[in-house]
Amino acid sequence: RVLSRQNGTVLHLGYVPEADLPGLMQGSAAVVYPSFYEGFGLPVAQAMAVGAPVITSNRSCLPEVVGDAGLCIDPDSVDELSAAMERILASPELAQTLVSRGRARAEKFRWAVSAERSFDFFHAC
């Protein structure tokens, strides 16, 4: 789901081709990802990498993935979810802070960094 910058509506898009995701995420007011379970949370890392503010779940691995670079909400709470969306729409400063933190945080998830850390770990065994 994406939160529109133009009028604050939530767009439910269904399937989006992988090639279209960066532009779509980058042009949104926020990427809203209230997942109940994730193996890693790649869509959240991708959103941060392209400079989209992130609202995601406080469950599974997602708080660890976003750190302080996104807003974490209870995915069962419509009130928390709507309050987070309102915060981002009402505060360009908050949105920009999340974008800056998100881009920096996403650097930790680049494939080269992950491969190097994995190599170091297995080499030490």
Side-chain angles (χ1 to χ4, degrees):
R1 294 182 181 114
V2 295
L3 183 60
S4 171
R5 282 186 187 167
Q6 294 169 328
N7 59 12
T9 59
V10 176
L11 305 174
H12 303 270
L13 302 176
Y15 175 77
V16 175
E18 190 76 24
D20 295 341
L21 285 175
L24 180 65
M25 289 180 176
Q26 200 169 36
S28 68
V31 171
V32 182
Y33 198 73
S35 180
F36 289 94
Y37 175 79
E38 285 301 314
F40 172 72
L42 189 57
V44 171
Q46 290 171 322
M48 291 187 301
V50 298
V54 171
I55 300 169
T56 193
S57 175
N58 63 3
R59 296 190 184 167
S60 189
C61 63
L62 293 167
E64 184 178 348
V65 173
V66 298
D68 69 349
L71 301 180
C72 291
I73 53 93
D74 178 350
D76 285 313
S77 174
V78 173
D79 291 339
E80 281 188 37
L81 182 57
S82 62
M85 290 189 289
E86 287 174 8
R87 282 183 64 198
I88 286 179
L89 289 173
S91 176
E93 298 82 14
L94 172 61
Q96 187 54 49
T97 296
L98 295 178
V99 166
S100 297
R101 289 178 184 171
R103 286 184 191 269
R105 183 119 180 109
E107 288 296 319
K108 297 178 181 186
F109 303 117
R110 295 209 177 272
W111 290 118
V113 174
S114 297
E116 184 178 328
R117 287 182 182 164
S118 295
F119 177 80
D120 290 345
F121 173 82
F122 289 113
H123 184 71
C125 293

